[in-house]
Amino acid sequence: MATHAPERPGLNAPYTAPRYVERREALATYFDSTAKQAWIDLTSDAKVSGIRATVRAGREQMRRTLVSWLPRDLRRTRLLDAGCGTGALAIEAACLGADVTAVDVAGGLVEVAKSRATGFCGHGKVRWKAGDMLDPEHGGFAHVVAMDSLIHYSPDNLVDALEELSTRTTGSILFTFAPHTPLLGAMHSVGKVFPKSDRSPAIVPVAEDDLCARLARLDGWSIGRTERISSGFYKSQALELVKTG
């Protein structure tokens, strides 16, 4: 019996591939229930375990890296924080003047982000939204940042998501992936990144060469900078896609 791949949506239709939707809903459930308090602590100055301290340090270094790849003056520039979590990157971009749409599938974390965003945001602003980062209703952007929000998806779904975002982006897409290394593959196969009680849905390591080959299908885009961050149990790689056509 023949099988068919899900149809590619038009510019005004959401991406609804079954595996993507299934994973998205699992992540929403996890981050709004089991892991909510752990991620509130991880993204604050609360005391955490040694393992989580390395993850916190790595995430802070990654956020600084991604922000440094954005223009220094973002005034009147629309930016999508795709998978904003508790909002640190969105607030930092707003302080550079960006008009930020910050979206996360976990509504509880978006509420935490709102509560933390009560101070000065420079010339920028943030619109907080709970929902799908690929929803075309968010509109178009000059820049998209997806920090550690695509690492739970298969390579197919990851590249499909980037392709969807590329149709509504005019400047750059900055995202992270879990680089496939023997150590990282072993760590995730035995599930020891976090204790079992609050372990997240599996992170999917991706070989860099394979990912870059897949990204070649994004017409009018080229690969720019890349940087790997390794901090104890946090291992993630940033990649820049630049609009060329």
Short mmCIF file of all heavy atoms in Angstrom, two decimals, residues 4 12 23 28 65 90 103 149 157 194 199 215 229:
data_model
loop_
_atom_site.label_atom_id
_atom_site.label_comp_id
_atom_site.label_asym_id
_atom_site.label_seq_id
_atom_site.Cartn_x
_atom_site.Cartn_y
_atom_site.Cartn_z
N HIS A 4 2.00 8.37 1.72
CA HIS A 4 2.25 9.71 1.22
C HIS A 4 2.77 10.59 2.34
O HIS A 4 2.28 10.54 3.47
CB HIS A 4 0.96 10.32 0.65
CG HIS A 4 0.39 9.52 -0.48
ND1 HIS A 4 0.85 9.64 -1.77
CD2 HIS A 4 -0.58 8.57 -0.50
CE1 HIS A 4 0.17 8.81 -2.55
NE2 HIS A 4 -0.70 8.15 -1.80
N ASN A 12 0.09 30.65 4.34
CA ASN A 12 -0.86 31.05 5.38
C ASN A 12 -1.43 29.87 6.14
O ASN A 12 -2.44 29.99 6.81
CB ASN A 12 -2.00 31.86 4.75
CG ASN A 12 -1.50 33.16 4.17
OD1 ASN A 12 -0.71 33.85 4.80
ND2 ASN A 12 -1.93 33.49 2.96
N ARG A 23 5.27 15.54 18.84
CA ARG A 23 6.40 15.96 19.67
C ARG A 23 6.14 17.31 20.33
O ARG A 23 6.43 17.51 21.50
CB ARG A 23 7.67 16.03 18.82
CG ARG A 23 8.90 16.54 19.56
CD ARG A 23 9.29 15.63 20.69
NE ARG A 23 9.99 14.46 20.22
CZ ARG A 23 10.54 13.55 21.01
NH1 ARG A 23 10.46 13.68 22.32
NH2 ARG A 23 11.15 12.50 20.51
N ALA A 28 4.97 20.45 25.28
CA ALA A 28 4.08 21.36 26.01
C ALA A 28 3.69 20.75 27.35
O ALA A 28 3.71 21.42 28.40
CB ALA A 28 2.84 21.67 25.18
N THR A 65 26.09 34.24 22.70
CA THR A 65 26.57 34.01 21.34
C THR A 65 25.53 34.39 20.31
O THR A 65 25.81 35.12 19.34
CB THR A 65 26.97 32.53 21.16
OG1 THR A 65 28.07 32.23 22.03
CG2 THR A 65 27.37 32.24 19.72
N ALA A 90 14.53 37.10 24.68
CA ALA A 90 13.56 38.08 24.16
C ALA A 90 13.76 39.45 24.82
O ALA A 90 13.75 40.49 24.14
CB ALA A 90 12.14 37.59 24.39
N VAL A 103 7.45 33.43 21.55
CA VAL A 103 6.46 32.35 21.52
C VAL A 103 7.02 31.10 22.17
O VAL A 103 8.19 30.74 21.95
CB VAL A 103 6.07 32.01 20.06
CG1 VAL A 103 4.98 30.95 20.03
CG2 VAL A 103 5.62 33.25 19.32
N SER A 149 15.20 25.12 20.99
CA SER A 149 13.78 24.79 20.86
C SER A 149 13.52 23.77 19.75
O SER A 149 12.40 23.29 19.61
CB SER A 149 12.96 26.06 20.59
OG SER A 149 13.46 26.76 19.47
N ASN A 157 12.00 16.86 10.75
CA ASN A 157 11.11 17.89 11.28
C ASN A 157 11.85 19.18 11.58
O ASN A 157 11.31 20.28 11.41
CB ASN A 157 10.41 17.40 12.54
CG ASN A 157 9.23 16.48 12.27
OD1 ASN A 157 8.76 15.78 13.16
ND2 ASN A 157 8.74 16.45 11.04
N PHE A 194 19.45 14.54 32.76
CA PHE A 194 18.75 14.99 33.94
C PHE A 194 18.31 13.77 34.74
O PHE A 194 18.13 12.69 34.18
CB PHE A 194 17.51 15.83 33.58
CG PHE A 194 17.83 17.21 33.10
CD1 PHE A 194 17.53 17.60 31.81
CD2 PHE A 194 18.44 18.13 33.93
CE1 PHE A 194 17.81 18.86 31.36
CE2 PHE A 194 18.72 19.41 33.50
CZ PHE A 194 18.41 19.78 32.22
N ARG A 199 13.26 14.26 33.69
CA ARG A 199 13.96 14.17 32.42
C ARG A 199 13.04 14.64 31.29
O ARG A 199 11.86 14.34 31.26
CB ARG A 199 14.40 12.73 32.17
CG ARG A 199 15.33 12.55 30.99
CD ARG A 199 15.68 11.09 30.83
NE ARG A 199 16.23 10.58 32.09
CZ ARG A 199 16.14 9.30 32.45
NH1 ARG A 199 15.53 8.43 31.67
NH2 ARG A 199 16.66 8.91 33.59
N LEU A 215 20.04 21.21 4.76
CA LEU A 215 19.72 22.64 4.67
C LEU A 215 19.94 23.19 3.27
O LEU A 215 19.45 24.29 2.96
CB LEU A 215 20.56 23.42 5.67
CG LEU A 215 20.20 23.21 7.15
CD1 LEU A 215 21.26 23.86 8.04
CD2 LEU A 215 18.82 23.76 7.48
N ILE A 229 28.99 25.08 21.87
CA ILE A 229 29.15 25.40 23.29
C ILE A 229 29.13 24.10 24.06
O ILE A 229 28.20 23.30 23.94
CB ILE A 229 28.02 26.32 23.79
CG1 ILE A 229 27.95 27.61 22.96
CG2 ILE A 229 28.21 26.62 25.28
CD1 ILE A 229 29.16 28.49 23.04
#
